Amino acid sequence: MLTLITYSMFLFTLAFIVMLISNIISKKSFMDREKNSPFECGFDPKNSARLPFSLHFFLIAIIFLIFDVEITLLVPFILTIKISKLLNLYLILTFFIIILLIGLFHEWNQGALTWIN
């Protein structure tokens, strides 16, 4: 039991010394502050990083991603043409494309696709 306490105290002291040395060595100087600041294509990084952006642009990007994923779901149907019945494949593809078109028309009616309000 005494050896366990001795080992744990030794490890605690060693960890404390390593953290203290790393803190002393890693002090940043005034010269390194500009080097560590972010560089954004020549813009001054001292201004506010939280610039407002169009929420409508964000919604259009999300809609694009959703339809892009749905298109990637259509691609495997090309590979299944040879191994499945053509009528079943046609019905599944028609149903899937109808669902896509209903979603597109719904977004259009809601005004999500018009850029100027």
Side-chain angles (χ1 to χ4, degrees), residues 104-113:
L104 179 67
F105 289 138
H106 175 71
E107 290 165 358
W108 194 356
N109 286 336
Q110 293 293 321
L113 300 177

Side-chain angles (χ1 to χ4, degrees), residues 38-45:
F39 180 73
E40 300 174 359
C41 302
F43 296 110
D44 186 19

Side-chain angles (χ1 to χ4, degrees), residues 30-43:
F30 184 73
M31 301 279 291
D32 291 338
R33 188 175 355 158
E34 188 64 33
K35 184 186 273 187
N36 289 334
S37 68
F39 180 73
E40 300 174 359
C41 302
F43 296 110

Side-chain angles (χ1 to χ4, degrees), residues 12-117:
F12 177 75
T13 308
L14 184 65
F16 181 74
I17 290 171
V18 168
M19 285 191 300
L20 187 66
I21 290 173
S22 69
N23 193 16
I24 292 171
I25 291 174
S26 69
K27 289 290 184 185
K28 303 291 184 205
S29 67
F30 184 73
M31 301 279 291
D32 291 338
R33 188 175 355 158
E34 188 64 33
K35 184 186 273 187
N36 289 334
S37 68
F39 180 73
E40 300 174 359
C41 302
F43 296 110
D44 186 19
K46 292 178 176 55
N47 293 339
S48 174
R50 301 285 181 187
L51 296 176
F53 67 97
S54 173
L55 184 62
H56 194 72
F57 176 76
F58 178 74
L59 290 175
I60 295 265
I62 294 296
I63 290 169
F64 172 75
L65 286 176
I66 289 171
F67 279 106
D68 196 34
V69 167
E70 290 170 349
I71 293 299
T72 59
L73 290 175
L74 284 174
V75 171
F77 282 111
I78 297 170
L79 300 174
T80 61
I81 289 175
K82 293 182 181 179
I83 59 173
S84 66
K85 293 183 181 179
L86 201 55
L87 181 63
N88 291 343
L89 185 68
Y90 177 72
L91 290 175
I92 291 171
L93 282 175
T94 305
F95 184 69
F96 191 73
I97 290 174
I98 286 173
I99 289 174
L100 288 178
L101 287 175
I102 289 172
L104 179 67
F105 289 138
H106 175 71
E107 290 165 358
W108 194 356
N109 286 336
Q110 293 293 321
L113 300 177
T114 55
W115 189 257
I116 300 172
N117 292 335

